[in-house]
Amino acid sequence: MRVIEHLVKTLRDSAIFNPEVQVAPSCILWPDKDRQWEAVIPRLQSELAELLVLGEYAPENRVGPAIWLRCVIAGNAPDVTLPADHVPVFYLPGVSRQDLRAIEDCPELLKPLAELQYRGVIWSQANAKDWTIMAFLKSDQGGMGLDVAQDNDAKNAMQLALYRLLDEELELLKGKRLDKDYFNTLLTGGDPVRDLLQWLDLGDAFQATRGTNEWKAFVEVCKSQLAFNPQADGVLAGASKLATREGPWHSVWERYGEAPKRYPNIPSRIRQCKPPIFDLFVTADSAGGWPQWNEEQEQALHRDLLALSHMPAHEARKRVLELERTHAPRRELVWAELGESPLALAAKHLALVAEVTKTALAAGSVADLQAGYATQGWRADDAILSALACVDKVADVDAVTAAARAIYLPWLEESARYLQKLVDGSSYPGGTIASASASAKAFATAKGECVLFVDGLRFDAARRLSATLEARGCLVAENIGWTALPSVTATGKAAASPVRTKISGTDDCDDFEPCVAATGQSLKGGYHLKKLLNDNHWKVLERTENGHGQGNAWCEFGDIDNEGHARGWKLAKHIDALLAEIAERIATLLAAGWNSVRVVTDHGWLLMPGKLPTIQMSKDLTDNKWGRCASIKPGASTSERLYPWFWNPNQQFALADGVSCYGKSVDYNHGGLSLQECLTLELMVTRRGNALGKQVVEVTDIAWKGLRCTVAVDGQYANLSVDIRTQAGDPASSVVVSVKSFKDNGTASVVVENEELQGRAAFLVLLSASGELAAEANTVIGGG
């Protein structure tokens, strides 16, 4: 029960009488000499339709003089209609019980009411005194029996907060000390810390949005709880105390830290204050409230990262780890959440790069390099992307670039050169079409499989995609492979396709584009690759097509490579969004009914802020020159190491040494021989139910009678149910009135509710108790 409900009940109960010895009172008189209740009377009138007020004539507000109130009782006031089931209540502001009793001395305007004290009843305490607010709250005889402080500050605050108090739950007030802080807090909305932060954020505009009483209450709460006077001390003094975070202000700071973006002006307020002098040993715990200190730390980190460019790689790595330990605590401050600590955020990822690149990938066999990269090495590539994603300003980008070139570029270069030294053309693990043909069997008869080609899905990006898919509930199996050489789309895309055994390369090709083996038609432009897929029973899905989960399909989505060439190092800032789109595409395909989605790619890439190194090759030696590969003119003599083309070993080409590029220097490139460009990760994605194993069950009969379908199954059908869908993997495509479970005899019946669907092809699906697909079969709604 709320306070106002208790007050209303108490008022009305005062009119209860014993009909055997009394007559019904004609009214309830509510005297209030000090006008303590006057401010809440309009609020009470909304609850008490029978409440009228002594005052200047305003019948629309149920207010009028004494004679008018008499007329109301007599039923002679046509402008007022009172409820028949309640006794009228007359509130008498400025009038005491004694005023009514002293009829001779009673003012003329009150005399018409004096007689009502005998025909009516006066709402008063048990001791016949008028009800004050304090008495009503404290008294356990007709009041509420609450614990209320009686000092003047509490009384003043109680008076101001009365209208808010009316809506409080009485049970919640019992056992609570109602003092000035309670009433002031209630008046300001019940959350003084939030109000204080809003005041610090809005300044004078905050007071303008508050009533006089609310502002007074806010000031009193601050004085009491924080020993701080907003009225006298001002916003900047408050901002300084907030930044200092001492005493009771610590909890205010913690509240600010929970949602600093709600108060966008507070940082600028603190910047207007003079901070303390920070010595060399000050920490985030003591100075973290000051954005000025955080800015100084960012500037120091900026200088230290730039200085890495003058250090040997091993010393630079050690220094990066030291800087991470120093600046890691700043990531816990609000300034990081507000985007004011980008280098502190980047330091975490740079430290991972430093840790991973301590171990060189420049020893052992190709298999050793593959294992080292697949377990740890890829994390360095991923961490560089994460570090670059943290920064926007040119100065911050320069600092991260300096660190990347100091600790990452030497490791990248060393591993690439060692791999190139191991591979002598014939020993490249990706082989040629002749040696790789056997792997085409992987695509052969995988029923319900859709192959999704993603251009430029580098190993680390594939790991991010795998994690995203697993978080969405998919099961992902990973298979490590090597791209076709050279690592460019023209060569690699066809090699990743399920029809690669139907493709070859001509002896006079200088652009790395293979052709249809049977006809010699170039695959450039994509038309003949799509035709070859269609001719070999692979349906080609366009970007917005999902298919129906039948047979096999090929689709292309997510052009990471194009984004890399267009954006350079800024690809790092967009890679997660690109991968999220790819994950959504995969989920859509699975929902459409495909049993699995095999994610393949053509190549990886190198990304180095500040541009990859370059080497020059004479134009006289090349027919065609790409970023990191070049086809050599027939008969030309060169010292470059030559490699056989995947599609035709008779065609050889040169690859740039290390991680260098031919010609123009860029941040992003591929086409050469490095772990980042050539080691790829194929993903086999299934719905988790598929991977956990379906129940052994077989649909033995599907019988339609009109729009009712009766299904019979054999095998492990316990806990299975049947549904009919237009898309097997999409529950939203169900067309039945309700999904039905199988009976003990292995049968179940479902009814299609839309007659217009009769004759349409659909899928009959069997579902486990968790809603996962256990089996499916084709059917035609209504039979036929």
Side-chain angles (χ1 to χ4, degrees), residues 483-505:
T483 188
L485 281 185
S487 53
V488 294
T489 301
T491 289
K493 181 177 177 180
S497 77
V499 291
R500 61 183 172 189
T501 56
K502 310 290 185 181
I503 299 170
S504 65

Side-chain angles (χ1 to χ4, degrees), residues 27 91 154 158 172 199 219 297 302 341 415 427 432 448 547 695 700:
C27 65
Y91 172 69
M158 175 185 65
L172 298 179
W199 173 67
V219 171
Q297 293 296 299
H302 177 267
S341 308
S415 64
S427 62
T432 64
Q695 290 178 254
T700 57

Side-chain angles (χ1 to χ4, degrees), residues 382-398:
D382 184 74
I384 283 292
L385 295 181
S386 296
L388 288 168
C390 294
V391 292
D392 292 297
K393 296 178 181 177
V394 172
D396 294 335
V397 175
D398 289 345

Side-chain angles (χ1 to χ4, degrees), residues 234-274:
V235 169
L236 293 186
S240 180
K241 288 182 176 293
L242 178 67
T244 304
R245 304 182 298 177
E246 293 180 351
W249 286 87
H250 181 75
S251 60
V252 181
W253 175 266
E254 287 187 333
R255 179 68 171 277
Y256 172 59
E258 291 174 2
K261 293 180 181 178
R262 290 183 182 175
Y263 313 101
N265 298 313
I266 284 182
S268 62
R269 305 273 191 214
I270 299 177
R271 286 189 176 91
Q272 290 177 267
C273 305
K274 185 176 181 180

